[in-house]
Amino acid sequence: MASFRFSQVVRQFTTSAVQHGKLVNTPIQVFGIEGRYATALFSAASKQKKLDAVEKEMNSLSNLLQKDKKLADFVANPSLKRVEKKAVLEDVLKKQKYSDLTVNLVAAMADNGRIAKIKGVLSTFAQLMSAHRGEVVCTVKTAKALDKASLNDLKTALEGFLKKGETLQLATEVDPSLIGGMVVSIGDKYVDMSMATKIKNYTTLIKQAV
């Protein structure tokens, strides 16, 4: 039943791009409502060989929603009718000269009462495109900012986990509550090497032993 609804979503984007309801395999799995729409868009754009063009439009739409507060509020307003939202959004996107794929995505989401989740879909589609290019996103949290030498050593160590053709996209964050050490999230792997977690674990062991 879920796969049937999934195919319906895809066909709303484009009937010519998806044949016999078959979807293009995505580079990574994404989940939830946002994941279904993003996957459908990725499949349709891939079949039309327009992934790069659609990605530019998704980035443009994301920027538009950030800069235009009235538009963002309009999208998030639950009191407006679906038909009204669809008509206005289609007009806005066509004036921006977006492709049918992007216009149809937004129209389908408005039709199904899911347009409030558009930011999540944009973010998820960005993840799919990043993985499509072989980019592996890694986030490292430390108690203090890393100096240049430490950052270079960290990059070298993390690149050792990558497969051939993959590239590292490293983001660093400072979280004083960690006290020391670091927390690393790379791809679907998560490693907590922070001093705060060690202290918590040791405290729990001591309490259990008493």
Side-chain angles (χ1 to χ4, degrees), residues 131-185:
H132 173 68
R133 288 189 290 269
E135 298 170 354
V136 177
V137 178
C138 177
T139 302
V140 175
K141 291 183 181 181
T142 53
K144 296 180 180 179
L146 298 173
D147 57 39
K148 188 174 181 180
S150 298
L151 187 59
N152 287 336
D153 288 342
L154 178 62
K155 284 182 178 178
T156 300
L158 292 172
E159 285 171 348
F161 291 96
L162 303 183
K163 299 175 183 177
K164 185 178 180 180
E166 292 180 335
T167 57
L168 182 70
Q169 298 292 309
L170 178 63
T172 58
E173 298 178 18
V174 175
D175 183 357
S177 69
L178 298 180
I179 303 175
M182 64 178 64
V183 176
V184 180
S185 175

Coordinates of all heavy atoms in Angstrom, one line a residue, residues 131-185:
A131 N 25.2 12.9 -1.3 CA 25.6 11.5 -1.4 C 25.8 11.1 -2.8 O 26.7 10.3 -3.1 CB 24.6 10.6 -0.7
H132 N 25.0 11.6 -3.7 CA 25.1 11.3 -5.2 C 26.5 11.7 -5.7 O 27.1 11.0 -6.6 CB 24.0 12.1 -5.9 CG 24.1 12.0 -7.4 ND1 24.0 10.8 -8.1 CD2 24.4 12.9 -8.4 CE1 24.1 11.0 -9.4 NE2 24.4 12.3 -9.6
R133 N 27.1 12.8 -5.2 CA 28.4 13.3 -5.6 C 29.5 12.6 -4.8 O 30.7 12.8 -5.0 CB 28.5 14.8 -5.3 CG 27.7 15.6 -6.3 CD 28.0 17.1 -6.1 NE 27.5 17.6 -4.9 CZ 26.3 18.1 -4.7 NH1 25.5 18.2 -5.7 NH2 26.0 18.6 -3.5
G134 N 29.2 11.6 -3.9 CA 30.2 10.9 -3.2 C 30.7 11.7 -2.0 O 31.7 11.4 -1.4
E135 N 29.9 12.7 -1.5 CA 30.3 13.5 -0.4 C 29.9 12.8 0.9 O 28.7 12.3 1.0 CB 29.7 14.9 -0.4 CG 30.2 15.7 -1.6 CD 29.4 17.0 -1.8 OE1 28.4 17.2 -1.1 OE2 29.7 17.7 -2.7
V136 N 30.8 12.7 1.9 CA 30.4 12.1 3.1 C 30.5 13.2 4.2 O 31.5 13.7 4.5 CB 31.4 10.9 3.5 CG1 31.1 10.4 4.9 CG2 31.4 9.8 2.5
V137 N 29.3 13.5 4.8 CA 29.2 14.5 5.7 C 29.7 14.1 7.1 O 29.3 13.0 7.6 CB 27.8 15.1 5.8 CG1 27.7 16.2 6.9 CG2 27.3 15.6 4.5
C138 N 30.6 14.8 7.7 CA 31.1 14.5 9.0 C 31.0 15.7 9.9 O 31.4 16.8 9.6 CB 32.6 14.0 8.9 SG 33.3 13.6 10.5
T139 N 30.5 15.5 11.1 CA 30.4 16.6 12.1 C 31.2 16.2 13.3 O 31.1 15.1 13.8 CB 28.9 16.8 12.5 OG1 28.2 17.1 11.4 CG2 28.9 18.0 13.5
V140 N 32.1 17.1 13.7 CA 32.9 16.8 14.9 C 32.7 17.9 15.9 O 32.8 19.1 15.7 CB 34.4 16.8 14.5 CG1 35.3 16.7 15.8 CG2 34.7 15.7 13.6
K141 N 32.3 17.5 17.2 CA 32.1 18.4 18.2 C 33.2 18.3 19.2 O 33.6 17.2 19.6 CB 30.7 18.2 19.0 CG 29.5 18.5 18.1 CD 28.3 18.2 19.0 CE 27.0 18.5 18.2 NZ 25.8 18.2 19.0
T142 N 33.8 19.5 19.6 CA 34.8 19.5 20.6 C 34.5 20.5 21.7 O 33.8 21.5 21.4 CB 36.2 19.8 20.0 OG1 36.1 21.0 19.2 CG2 36.6 18.7 19.0
A143 N 35.2 20.4 22.8 CA 34.9 21.4 23.9 C 35.5 22.7 23.6 O 35.0 23.8 24.0 CB 35.5 20.8 25.2
K144 N 36.6 22.7 22.9 CA 37.3 24.0 22.4 C 37.6 23.9 20.9 O 37.7 22.8 20.4 CB 38.6 24.2 23.2 CG 38.4 24.4 24.7 CD 39.7 24.6 25.4 CE 39.6 24.8 26.9 NZ 40.9 25.0 27.6
A145 N 37.7 25.0 20.3 CA 38.0 25.1 18.9 C 39.3 24.4 18.6 O 40.3 24.6 19.4 CB 38.0 26.5 18.4
L146 N 39.4 23.6 17.5 CA 40.7 23.0 17.2 C 41.6 23.9 16.5 O 41.2 24.8 15.7 CB 40.4 21.8 16.3 CG 39.5 20.6 16.8 CD1 39.2 19.6 15.7 CD2 40.3 20.0 18.0
D147 N 42.9 23.8 16.8 CA 43.9 24.6 16.0 C 44.1 24.0 14.6 O 43.6 22.9 14.4 CB 45.2 24.8 16.8 CG 45.8 23.4 17.1 OD1 45.8 22.5 16.3 OD2 46.4 23.3 18.2
K148 N 44.8 24.7 13.8 CA 44.9 24.3 12.4 C 45.6 22.9 12.3 O 45.2 22.1 11.5 CB 45.8 25.3 11.6 CG 45.8 25.1 10.1 CD 46.5 26.2 9.4 CE 46.5 26.0 7.9 NZ 47.2 27.1 7.2
A149 N 46.7 22.7 13.1 CA 47.4 21.4 13.0 C 46.5 20.3 13.4 O 46.5 19.2 12.8 CB 48.6 21.5 13.9
S150 N 45.7 20.5 14.5 CA 44.8 19.4 15.0 C 43.7 19.1 14.0 O 43.3 18.0 13.8 CB 44.2 19.8 16.3 OG 45.2 20.0 17.3
L151 N 43.2 20.2 13.4 CA 42.2 20.0 12.4 C 42.7 19.2 11.2 O 42.0 18.4 10.6 CB 41.7 21.4 11.9 CG 40.5 21.4 11.0 CD1 39.3 20.7 11.7 CD2 40.1 22.8 10.6
N152 N 43.9 19.5 10.7 CA 44.5 18.8 9.6 C 44.7 17.3 9.9 O 44.4 16.4 9.1 CB 45.8 19.4 9.2 CG 45.6 20.7 8.5 OD1 44.6 21.0 7.9 ND2 46.6 21.6 8.5
D153 N 45.2 17.1 11.2 CA 45.4 15.7 11.6 C 44.0 14.9 11.7 O 43.9 13.7 11.3 CB 46.0 15.6 13.0 CG 47.5 16.0 13.0 OD1 48.1 16.0 11.9 OD2 48.0 16.4 14.1
L154 N 43.0 15.6 12.1 CA 41.7 15.0 12.2 C 41.1 14.7 10.8 O 40.6 13.6 10.6 CB 40.7 16.0 12.9 CG 39.2 15.5 13.0 CD1 39.1 14.3 13.8 CD2 38.4 16.7 13.6
K155 N 41.3 15.6 9.9 CA 40.9 15.4 8.5 C 41.5 14.1 7.9 O 40.9 13.3 7.2 CB 41.1 16.6 7.6 CG 40.2 17.7 7.8 CD 40.6 18.9 6.9 CE 39.6 20.1 7.1 NZ 40.0 21.2 6.2
T156 N 42.8 14.0 8.1 CA 43.6 12.9 7.6 C 43.1 11.6 8.2 O 42.9 10.6 7.5 CB 45.1 13.1 7.9 OG1 45.6 14.3 7.3 CG2 45.9 11.9 7.4
A157 N 42.8 11.6 9.5 CA 42.3 10.4 10.1 C 41.0 10.0 9.6 O 40.7 8.8 9.3 CB 42.3 10.6 11.6
L158 N 40.1 11.0 9.4 CA 38.7 10.7 9.0 C 38.7 10.3 7.5 O 37.9 9.4 7.1 CB 37.8 12.0 9.1 CG 37.5 12.4 10.6 CD1 36.8 13.7 10.6 CD2 36.7 11.3 11.3
E159 N 39.6 10.8 6.7 CA 39.6 10.4 5.3 C 40.0 8.9 5.1 O 39.7 8.3 4.1 CB 40.6 11.3 4.5 CG 40.0 12.7 4.3 CD 41.0 13.7 3.7 OE1 42.2 13.4 3.7 OE2 40.6 14.8 3.3
G160 N 40.6 8.4 6.2 CA 41.0 7.0 6.1 C 39.8 6.0 6.2 O 39.9 4.9 5.8
F161 N 38.6 6.6 6.6 CA 37.4 5.8 6.6 C 36.6 5.8 5.3 O 35.6 5.1 5.1 CB 36.5 6.3 7.7 CG 37.0 6.1 9.1 CD1 37.7 7.1 9.8 CD2 36.8 4.9 9.8 CE1 38.2 6.8 11.1 CE2 37.2 4.6 11.0 CZ 38.0 5.6 11.7
L162 N 37.0 6.7 4.4 CA 36.3 6.9 3.2 C 36.6 5.8 2.1 O 37.7 5.2 2.1 CB 36.6 8.2 2.5 CG 36.3 9.5 3.4 CD1 36.6 10.7 2.6 CD2 34.9 9.5 3.9
K163 N 35.6 5.5 1.3 CA 35.8 4.6 0.2 C 36.3 5.3 -1.0 O 36.3 6.6 -1.1 CB 34.4 3.9 -0.2 CG 33.8 3.1 1.0 CD 32.5 2.5 0.6 CE 31.8 1.8 1.8 NZ 30.5 1.3 1.4
K164 N 36.8 4.6 -2.0 CA 37.3 5.2 -3.2 C 36.2 6.0 -3.9 O 35.0 5.6 -4.1 CB 37.8 4.1 -4.2 CG 38.4 4.7 -5.5 CD 38.9 3.6 -6.3 CE 39.6 4.1 -7.6 NZ 40.1 3.1 -8.5
G165 N 36.5 7.3 -4.3 CA 35.6 8.2 -4.9 C 34.8 9.1 -4.0 O 34.1 10.0 -4.4
E166 N 34.9 8.8 -2.7 CA 34.2 9.6 -1.7 C 35.1 10.8 -1.3 O 36.3 10.7 -1.3 CB 33.8 8.8 -0.5 CG 32.8 7.7 -0.8 CD 32.4 7.0 0.5 OE1 33.2 6.9 1.4 OE2 31.3 6.4 0.5
T167 N 34.4 11.9 -0.9 CA 35.1 13.1 -0.4 C 34.5 13.5 0.9 O 33.3 13.3 1.1 CB 35.0 14.3 -1.4 OG1 33.6 14.6 -1.7 CG2 35.7 14.0 -2.7
L168 N 35.4 14.0 1.8 CA 34.9 14.4 3.1 C 34.4 15.8 3.1 O 35.0 16.8 2.6 CB 36.1 14.3 4.1 CG 35.8 14.6 5.6 CD1 35.0 13.5 6.2 CD2 37.2 14.7 6.3
Q169 N 33.2 16.0 3.8 CA 32.7 17.3 4.0 C 32.6 17.5 5.5 O 31.7 17.0 6.2 CB 31.3 17.4 3.4 CG 31.2 17.2 1.9 CD 31.9 18.4 1.2 OE1 31.6 19.6 1.4 NE2 32.7 18.1 0.2
L170 N 33.6 18.2 6.1 CA 33.8 18.3 7.5 C 33.2 19.6 8.1 O 33.5 20.6 7.6 CB 35.3 18.1 7.9 CG 35.6 18.3 9.4 CD1 35.0 17.1 10.1 CD2 37.2 18.2 9.5
A171 N 32.4 19.4 9.1 CA 31.9 20.6 9.9 C 32.3 20.4 11.3 O 32.2 19.3 11.9 CB 30.4 20.6 9.7
T172 N 32.8 21.5 11.9 CA 33.2 21.4 13.3 C 32.3 22.3 14.2 O 31.8 23.3 13.7 CB 34.6 21.8 13.5 OG1 34.8 23.2 13.0 CG2 35.6 20.9 12.8
E173 N 32.0 21.8 15.4 CA 31.2 22.6 16.4 C 31.9 22.6 17.7 O 32.6 21.7 18.1 CB 29.8 22.0 16.5 CG 29.0 22.0 15.2 CD 27.6 21.3 15.4 OE1 27.2 21.1 16.6 OE2 27.0 20.9 14.4
V174 N 31.7 23.7 18.4 CA 32.2 23.8 19.8 C 31.1 23.7 20.8 O 30.1 24.4 20.7 CB 33.0 25.2 20.0 CG1 33.4 25.3 21.4 CG2 34.1 25.3 19.0
D175 N 31.3 22.7 21.7 CA 30.3 22.5 22.8 C 31.1 22.3 24.1 O 31.6 21.3 24.4 CB 29.5 21.2 22.5 CG 28.4 20.9 23.5 OD1 28.3 21.7 24.5 OD2 27.7 20.0 23.3
P176 N 31.2 23.4 24.9 CA 31.9 23.4 26.2 C 31.5 22.3 27.1 O 32.2 21.9 28.0 CB 31.7 24.8 26.7 CG 31.4 25.7 25.5 CD 30.6 24.7 24.6
S177 N 30.2 21.9 27.0 CA 29.7 20.9 28.0 C 30.3 19.5 27.8 O 30.2 18.7 28.7 CB 28.2 20.7 27.8 OG 27.9 20.1 26.5
L178 N 31.1 19.3 26.7 CA 31.8 18.1 26.5 C 33.0 17.9 27.4 O 33.5 16.9 27.7 CB 32.3 18.0 25.1 CG 31.2 17.9 24.0 CD1 31.8 17.8 22.6 CD2 30.2 16.8 24.2
I179 N 33.5 19.1 28.0 CA 34.6 19.2 28.9 C 35.9 18.9 28.1 O 36.9 19.7 28.2 CB 34.5 18.2 30.1 CG1 33.2 18.5 30.9 CG2 35.7 18.4 31.0 CD1 32.9 17.6 32.0
G180 N 36.0 17.8 27.4 CA 37.2 17.4 26.7 C 36.9 16.3 25.7 O 35.7 15.9 25.6
G181 N 37.8 15.9 24.9 CA 37.6 14.9 23.9 C 36.7 15.4 22.8 O 36.7 16.6 22.5
M182 N 36.0 14.5 22.1 CA 35.2 14.9 20.9 C 34.1 13.9 20.7 O 34.1 12.7 21.1 CB 36.1 15.0 19.7 CG 36.7 13.8 19.2 SD 37.7 14.0 17.7 CE 39.0 15.1 18.3
V183 N 33.1 14.4 19.9 CA 32.0 13.5 19.5 C 32.0 13.6 17.9 O 32.0 14.7 17.4 CB 30.6 14.0 20.0 CG1 29.5 13.2 19.4 CG2 30.6 14.0 21.5
V184 N 32.1 12.4 17.3 CA 32.2 12.4 15.8 C 31.0 11.7 15.2 O 30.7 10.6 15.6 CB 33.5 11.6 15.4 CG1 33.7 11.6 13.9 CG2 34.7 12.3 16.1
S185 N 30.4 12.3 14.2 CA 29.4 11.7 13.4 C 29.8 11.7 12.0 O 30.0 12.8 11.4 CB 28.1 12.5 13.6 OG 27.1 12.0 12.8

